[in-house]
Amino acid sequence: QVQLGESGGGLVQPGGSLSLSCVAYGTFFSLDTMGWYRQGPGKQRELVAIETSGGHRNYSESVKDRFTISRDNAKNTVYLQMNSLQVEDTSVYYCNAKYLHVIPEVGNLEAWGQGTLVAVAS
């Protein structure tokens, strides 16, 4: 089916920037939605940003003025450019994809990446 490979996490100072990448591997009929979620210490997993294959984007209110999501549909890749990072952004960031199975009659499925840590600290 689909597996997701994430990269780009690391340690950055407050006010700095990082860029995350996620590539979808495997078989599918269509890759409908790709995006990012995060889970910080003692918190529930939350939406960061998602983008449909048609280019529609949704952002969390806490990041919409600082983060930018983008997709390269030909490469089955989604990116997250993070600017003006704050300590509160420290989280494990998870890539997510919703896709239609290579046999469409099977239906819609969902895949998650293993997570990449973004640590914002002085």
Side-chain angles (χ1 to χ4, degrees), residues 55-99:
H56 179 72
R57 299 172 177 179
N58 283 320
Y59 291 93
S60 166
E61 289 293 325
S62 64
V63 308
K64 66 178 181 180
D65 295 326
R66 300 180 294 118
F67 294 6
T68 302
I69 190 170
S70 60
R71 284 180 65 164
D72 186 335
N73 291 336
K75 297 181 179 180
N76 299 321
T77 300
V78 65
Y79 307 93
L80 185 67
Q81 178 64 48
M82 303 181 291
N83 299 322
S84 301
L85 282 162
Q86 304 167 4
V87 173
E88 293 77 13
D89 296 316
T90 296
S91 298
V92 176
Y93 285 71
Y94 297 92
C95 185
N96 174 266
K98 295 180 174 64
Y99 64 97

Side-chain angles (χ1 to χ4, degrees), residues 20 23 28 32-33 53 75-76 93 120 122:
L20 306 181
V23 182
F28 51 86
D32 301 320
T33 301
S53 60
K75 297 181 179 180
N76 299 321
Y93 285 71
V120 185
S122 299

Side-chain angles (χ1 to χ4, degrees), residues 8-24:
L11 175 64
V12 64
Q13 293 182 325
S17 298
L18 281 176
S19 182
L20 306 181
S21 299
C22 174
V23 182

Side-chain angles (χ1 to χ4, degrees), residues 97-120:
K98 295 180 174 64
Y99 64 97
L100 185 62
H101 192 273
V102 66
I103 304 174
E105 290 77 10
V106 172
N108 299 111
L109 300 174
E110 187 174 32
W112 289 94
Q114 79 285 354
T116 184
L117 176 63
V118 174
V120 185

